Amino acid sequence: MPGAIYAEGLVKTFGDVRALDGVDLDVPEGTVLGLLGPNGAGKTTAVRCLTTLLKPDSGSAVVAGVDVLKHPDAVRRSIGLSGQFAAVDEYLTGRENLQMVGQLYQMKAKQAKVRATELLEQFDLADAADRPTKTYSGGMRRRLDLAAALVVSPPVMFMDEPTTGLDPRNRQLLWEVIKQLVSAGTTLLLTTQYLEEADHLAHDIAVVDHGHVIATGTSDQLKARTGGERVEVVVHEREHIQAASEVLRGFGKGDTTVEDHMRKLTVPVTGGAKLLAEVIRELDTRGIEIDDIGLRRPTLDDVFLSLTGHAAEAKDEGNDKKEDAK
Amino acid sequence: MSAVTDTARLADRGNPLSQSVRDSLVIAKRNLIRMSRIPEMVIFGLIQPIMFVVLFSYVFGGSMNIGGTTDSLVYREFLMAGIFAQTVTFATAGAGAGIADDMHKGLIDRFRSLPMARGAVLTGRTLADLVQTALTLFVLAMVALLVGWRTHTSIGEVLGAFGLLLLLGYAFTWVGALIGLSVRTPEAATSGGLIWLFPVTFISNAFVDSSRMTPWLQHVADWNPFSATVQACRKLFGNPGVSPSEAWPMQHPVWASLIYSVLIIVIFRTLAVRKYRSATA
Ligand SMILES: Nc1ncnc2c1ncn2[C@@H]1O[C@H](COP(=O)(O)OP(=O)(O)O)[C@@H](O)[C@H]1O
Ligand SMILES: [Mg+2]
């Protein structure tokens, strides 16, 4: 039996650009699929095809048991969408926005009102409920947008980069909301540029690049392919790069990459903090002065590097680079 | 977060027509709330036609020959139907810009992902614009009375004329809706929504006596849908300058105005709703 979200061979072209080049997806009911990929990979296009906003050139899709191409209206009754940019009316208050969406989901006016109050409470927006959303912060707007997607508690949800551009506190807040949602049984397709986010929220991850799904699996499976953790060292003197590289070779589980201009060396490892301590001791013994050293989890770049041999292209704000070294 | 609550259920869909009316009203209400929160827009929308009334009346007033006289009071009475009609057509640009803005902000995507009636987003918008147009017309009529405009017919005929004006304005907002859906930015929708209005409103009988134009221009002016409404208003207001042209729309301006407006609505509504269904921001 196909999952709550199922797609086969989705193709969508815009002029010369093949935004989707044969995408297959299968999301079992009650689970979360993380669609992971850099800017321009085709994530939004996939979401738009699955939510009836865009007609694919070929391929088929079934959402909540309904054929998306044949019965888009029926699909719309079973889905909630939180698009890449918070789609709220900036001149309406938070409450008015939610009431409007409720009524457009064919709720009675009174019902929509009750539901709006509930959601505002739940999303920590009660204090700002009667202010035009123009005055909201980015995080508040995002929360309201998500609330709007949840007005009817749809069985299937789509969220397109829900946390891109949010500060860590708001990101954390949204993650909590999403986790609660999923524990209540919602099937969710979530797109993200952050491996960490997919790791945190998704049961399964599909990595997309240039309109293709290039890998699928759980986060552990992907990490195993990517080589798990890595040690990153920045040496103080350029002359020490060679020596440091030899030290790392002894501990590494794969090739060491060197970024000369930054005096930075990276090597995949297993062994965690204990191993890190050993590396530091060894470097110290050899008199190699270091500016920085850390153990870090693989980033989207690492996943891409190991899957495609090239780094994820066309990142925007570059937030995803700031995976903190512990 | 709580689980599914009682209120979080879909109501029955009811019949498609009542759903369509209901959804359109929800959207119209949304747009009216917006307008009330951006009063500057409504006020600028009023200032422009008032300026036209004052400028045309006092600057051109004494130099225009209407029906063989250059009396500025005659020109003022002649002018108002033209200004009224021009004012209602300018609602086009507002509708277009609003819809382009909704697309730009992703609101159209949200609406299109909801189980709502297909044409409701556009119908709601055009209805809200109709309310604004009615308000503008009312204020403008008051100003016109102040500068000396008068009607010389029954109240029924005068109201009929305003009805035709509103219908024309409503028809033009559908053209604006199509423009708004076809361009990428609200700015483009504003200018795109205005540019074509200049030839339409100036190659007409609105501001000058069209029988004094070169023959081919007069021909265009006589068959211009916009001229039909202006002519109908002059007739229904009992104002001077009713064109003696033999052209059918000039001979039967009320019918012509009705037919043109309904045709514009049918054609442009169909095109706009089709465009909406495949709209991508
Ligand atoms: N409406 C559109 N018109 C033209 N090209 C588009 C359109 N939407 C997306 N694209 C192109 O399709 C590709 C995939 O875009 P998108 O699905 O938005 O990627 P992502 O969401 O992963 O960043 C990109 O190259 C983008 O430029
Ligand atoms: Mg995107």
Side-chain angles (χ1 to χ4, degrees), chain A residues 48 53-54 73 76-77 81 87 89-91 96 103 105-107 115 118 122 145 148 152 180-181, chain B residues 1 5 7-8 10-11 19 22-23 30 34 37-38 105-106 109-110 112-115 118 280:
Chain A
R48 290 172 58 88
L53 299 181
L54 206 58
D73 274 327
R76 287 181 201 122
R77 267 176 276 153
L81 166 66
D89 189 318
E90 56 190 349
Y91 288 101
E96 286 162 347
Q103 286 187 279
Y105 266 117
Q106 313 305 316
M107 284 178 165
R115 182 61 179 154
E118 256 173 36
Q122 196 175 317
D145 185 68
V152 291
Q180 284 165 17
L181 188 69
Chain B
M1 178 155 152
T5 59
T7 46
L10 289 176
Q19 189 200 346
R22 220 181 73 108
D23 289 354
R30 168 221 166 200
R34 275 177 76 89
R37 303 235 164 104
I38 327 173
K105 301 239 163 76
D109 267 5
R110 154 130 291 146
R112 286 181 59 226
S113 77
L114 296 176
R118 280 194 173 72
T280 42

Side-chain angles (χ1 to χ4, degrees), chain A residues 36-38 193 195 207-210 214-215 222-228 230 232 254-259 264-268 296-313 315 320-321:
Chain A
L36 178 68
Q193 299 192 34
L195 182 61
V207 183
V208 283
D209 189 29
H210 298 299
I214 55 173
L222 284 178
K223 277 192 190 152
R225 289 176 69 169
T226 313
R230 47 212 65 217
E232 209 172 68
D255 293 339
T256 308
T257 47
V258 179
E259 288 163 79
K264 184 155 105 185
L265 301 96
T266 310
V267 69
R296 68 167 172 79
R297 283 173 285 161
T299 62
L300 177 63
D301 273 334
D302 299 319
V303 173
F304 266 77
L305 206 56
S306 68
L307 288 172
T308 65
H310 66 81
E313 296 156 28
K315 283 182 282 358
D320 46 346
K321 296 289 282 181

Side-chain angles (χ1 to χ4, degrees), chain A residues 103-122:
Chain A
Q103 286 187 279
L104 295 175
Y105 266 117
Q106 313 305 316
M107 284 178 165
K108 300 254 180 300
K110 216 170 116 197
Q111 244 185 343
K113 205 170 196 160
V114 175
R115 182 61 179 154
T117 307
E118 256 173 36
L119 284 165
L120 288 163
E121 206 56 63
Q122 196 175 317

Side-chain angles (χ1 to χ4, degrees), chain A residues 78-104:
Chain A
S78 307
I79 60 170
L81 166 66
S82 171
Q84 184 164 358
F85 304 101
V88 295
D89 189 318
E90 56 190 349
Y91 288 101
L92 264 54
T93 66
R95 189 188 304 281
E96 286 162 347
N97 265 291
L98 292 179
Q99 282 176 10
M100 172 181 74
V101 172
Q103 286 187 279
L104 295 175

